[in-house]
Each structure stands twice: as C-alpha cells, then as structure tokens.
C-alpha cells in the first residue's frame, strides 16, 4: 500500500489568493526587519568574542553535568561541545567549553579561566585542560562580515545560474524566493532571540540550496509545459506545473522534516539552533517555491513564441546539466 500525502492528480489554483499569500510574506518580512532593527540578533560566542577551553577527561563527557557545574559562576552564554575523533584513546574524552567575552574584556581573565577549571574538576579531579584560546571582538566582527558575504555570494551565484539555465524572469523569481527565505529566517531568529552563530550561517546556506532545488524542479516543469502548451495562458501553465510537481515537493519536504524534528527532539542543545533554522527553512522554502517564485514569474511574464529563429534567446544554456 503506497503512502500518498497528496492526491495523484490535483487541479488547485495556487494564484486565486495570491494577494493574501504575497501579503502574508510582505507582513512577515516587515515584522522581521523591524525586529532586526530594534533588537538585532542574539549573537553567539562566534560573533561576540570569547574564550574556548579544551578539556580532557578519562570519564565520559556529560554536557548537562558540565553546564550545572559552571552555572553558579554566572558567566553568561556558555557552549559545551563533545569532540569526537577516531584517533582518541578509549579513555580520552574531549570537550570544548566556550565562554562569551565578559563585560569590558576581550577575553576571559585568568581568574575566570581558573574558576572554570576548578568548577569542572569537581566532576573529575584529574581533568586536564590542554589549551585555552580567545577570540576578540575584532575577529568576531570579521566573521560577521565574512558570513554576510558568503550568503550574498551564494544568492548571486544562484541568480547567474538560473539566468543561464532558463531566462532572466525565472532568475529574478528564484532569487526573490531565496531572499524571502533568508530574510524570514533572520527575522524569526531576531524575534525569538535564538542564539545566532556560525552554525546558523551554515543552515542559511543549506536553506538556499534546498529552496533553490525546489524552485528549479517547478521551473523546469514550467519550461516544458510552455513548449507543450504554447497557446495556454501563463497562469494556467504555472498552475499545471505546480500541480504536476506537488506530490514530489510535499513528499520531499515531509520526509526532510521528519528527520529534522527527530534531531530537534533528540539531538540536544548543541545542534538545536541549527536544526530549528533548517526546520523553518524547509517550511518557508517550500512555501516560497510554490507561492513566491511562481507569482513573481507570473507578474514578470515570459516569452512564449518559441517558433521564431531567436526562440532560444536567453535560454541557450537550458540543456546544461545541473
């Protein structure tokens, strides 16, 4: 018995309420932008600066016990991550403890580091601390700039790729959907004040790739149907294409969400922010592929006369492998 999340054949009009769907997107973007301007992002240690202490113990790493031992010190944002390496011995358990920069200091002072070491030795008196490293505000500022450039370059590369593979109207529709996804993700992180670190940048880049994949699948079917039904109205072609790829879109999104929700529930605090960004990104990425990218394409229009000698203008790279 096959599982079907949507009927085998659908004929839904995805543009009958386009004013409402686009209006919802605009509203969420405005709210997210306002939140970003008013309260900003809750930057993690990667972007605020701080100190990283490497621990080594014969006892298994218990993140909850480490956190409980350090909580009375009131050091603010603390990140504890167990390090896995196949070269480690059986009794070599390594963790990285990151402490945010304290008020008025570029890194944790000697007394703070000593206090952390003393607190952790209550768990294991023989615990060792092989290294202590600090990241100052200047380096953190450079990381923020580099992360922003990485996201912008990824979106620019997508614009160029879609322009070559399809036409410029398709490219603008795809990029509008990607910008929509990134802005909404930044907005929800600002609104909820969830810790924003380098792992979230990785999630943003993954969201860009996921959303692009969904959009390209829909646009590829649109291009096929434009040639197949060259007399049909563009709105009808878009509706037909979205309906034909809807089963694939929903199945891909649902199966991805099942894995992400499992990670969110069982994965622990270390990856929870990353997984939350991915869950939100899959939802808004699927939404934007159906309602935003296609609506922009419908608004811009696309050349329909494929019979003229220049019918491939702007689409000369359409058969290039992805």
């Amino acid at each position: 018995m096959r599982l079907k999340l949507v009927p085998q054949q659908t004929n839904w009009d995805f543009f009958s309420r386009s004013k409402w769907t686009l209006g919802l997107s605009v509203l969420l973007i405005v709210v997210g932008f306002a939140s970003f301007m008013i309260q900003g992002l809750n930057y993690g240690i990667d972007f605020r600066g701080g100190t990283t202490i490497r621990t080594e113990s014969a006892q298994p790493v218990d993140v909850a016990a480490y956190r409980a031992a350090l909580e009375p010190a009131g050091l603010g944002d603390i990140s504890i991550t167990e390090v896995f390496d196949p070269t480690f011995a059986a009794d070599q358990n390594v963790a990285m403890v990151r402490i945010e920069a304290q008020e008025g200091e570029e890194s944790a002072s000697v007394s703070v580091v000593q206090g952390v070491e003393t607190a952790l030795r209550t768990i294991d008196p023989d615990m060792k601390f092989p290294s202590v490293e600090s990241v100052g505000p200047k380096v953190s500022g450079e990381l923020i700039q580099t992360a922003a450039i990485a996201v912008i370059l990824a979106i620019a590369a997508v614009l160029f790729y879609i322009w070559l593979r399809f036409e410029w109207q398709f490219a603008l529709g795809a990029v509008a959907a990607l910008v929509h996804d990134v802005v909404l993700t930044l907005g929800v992180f600002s609104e909820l004040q969830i810790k924003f670190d380098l792992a979230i940048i990785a999630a943003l880049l993954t969201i860009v790739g996921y959303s692009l994949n969904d959009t390209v699948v829909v646009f590829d079917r649109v291009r096929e149907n434009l040639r197949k039904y060259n007399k049909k109205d563009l709105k009808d072609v878009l509706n037909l294409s979205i309906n034909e790829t809807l089963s694939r879109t929903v199945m891909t999104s649902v199966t991805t969400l099942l894995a992400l929700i499992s990670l969110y529930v069982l994965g622990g605090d270390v990856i929870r922010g990353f997984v939350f960004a991915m869950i939100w990104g899959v939802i808004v990425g699927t939404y934007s592929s159906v309602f935003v990218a296609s609506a922009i394409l419908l608004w811009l229009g696309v050349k329909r006369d494929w019979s003229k000698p220049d019918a491939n203008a702007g689409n000369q790279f359409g058969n290039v492998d992805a």
Side-chain angles (χ1 to χ4, degrees), residues 291-305:
F291 294 103
V292 177
S294 299
I296 296 296
L297 181 59
L298 178 62
W299 178 64
L300 292 174
V302 65
K303 180 164 57 65
R304 300 296 305 277
D305 190 355

Side-chain angles (χ1 to χ4, degrees), residues 79-282:
S79 172
I80 304 170
T81 308
E82 185 174 2
V83 179
F84 298 95
D85 193 308
T87 62
F88 288 166
D91 61 346
Q92 189 178 8
N93 301 286
V94 178
M96 304 296 289
V97 180
R98 297 182 177 182
I99 307 168
E100 69 174 350
Q102 304 301 299
E103 189 71 26
E105 300 179 3
E106 290 197 359
S107 61
S109 62
V110 175
S111 60
V112 170
V113 173
Q114 291 176 346
V116 170
E117 294 177 356
T118 301
L120 292 177
R121 283 201 173 102
T122 60
I123 300 173
D124 178 10
D126 297 324
M127 184 177 293
K128 300 177 182 178
F129 303 93
S131 65
V132 178
E133 300 176 352
S134 297
V135 177
K138 182 179 179 180
V139 175
S140 299
E142 292 175 354
L143 285 176
I144 294 176
Q145 293 179 4
T146 304
I149 291 172
V151 174
I152 293 172
L153 288 179
I155 294 176
V158 167
L159 174 64
F160 183 68
Y161 166 75
I162 299 295
W163 197 336
L164 291 182
R165 187 168 177 82
F166 298 96
E167 294 184 17
W168 66 269
Q169 296 95 330
F170 289 85
L172 291 183
V175 168
L178 295 183
V179 173
H180 168 274
D181 300 342
V182 171
V183 171
L184 288 191
T185 302
L186 292 174
V188 76
F189 268 79
S190 174
E191 188 67 32
L192 301 179
Q193 286 295 288
I194 301 173
K195 186 170 65 176
F196 191 89
D197 52 24
L198 285 176
I200 309 305
I201 298 299
L204 284 175
L205 294 174
T206 307
I207 290 168
V208 168
Y210 181 91
S211 179
L212 173 64
N213 180 62
D214 259 1
T215 303
V216 166
V217 168
V218 175
F219 279 0
D220 202 47
R221 185 60 59 90
V222 170
R223 183 175 59 181
E224 291 177 9
N225 287 333
L226 282 172
R227 294 178 179 274
K228 187 176 181 181
Y229 306 102
N230 55 7
K231 300 298 183 182
K232 185 175 287 193
D233 186 72
L234 178 59
K235 178 180 176 181
D236 295 332
V237 172
L238 289 171
N239 266 320
L240 175 63
S241 303
I242 296 172
N243 278 286
E244 288 179 345
T245 57
L246 187 62
S247 178
R248 177 262 175 205
T249 298
V250 172
M251 183 63 74
T252 302
S253 298
V254 170
T255 52
T256 304
L257 285 173
L258 287 175
L260 290 173
I261 291 171
S262 299
L263 281 174
Y264 186 81
V265 174
L266 304 174
D269 293 336
V270 175
I271 63 171
R272 189 155 289 158
F274 172 84
V275 177
F276 175 81
M278 287 298 302
I279 291 174
W280 175 259
V282 168

Side-chain angles (χ1 to χ4, degrees), residues 3-67:
L3 174 64
K4 294 183 179 180
L5 299 178
V6 296
Q8 187 170 359
Q9 291 185 345
T10 59
N11 190 28
W12 296 332
D13 185 357
F14 291 93
F15 300 99
S16 60
R17 293 180 175 83
S18 59
K19 291 183 179 179
W20 290 98
T21 54
L22 291 178
L24 176 62
S25 294
V26 171
L27 176 63
L28 292 176
I29 289 173
V30 170
V31 171
F33 183 76
S35 175
F36 180 80
M37 295 302 294
I38 293 172
Q39 59 183 2
L41 294 169
N42 180 20
Y43 291 115
I45 294 172
D46 294 329
F47 294 138
R48 283 190 307 206
T51 299
T52 300
I53 303 174
R54 184 182 177 95
T55 71
E56 187 174 319
S57 173
Q59 299 181 13
V61 175
D62 186 340
V63 174
Y66 281 35
R67 194 177 299 280

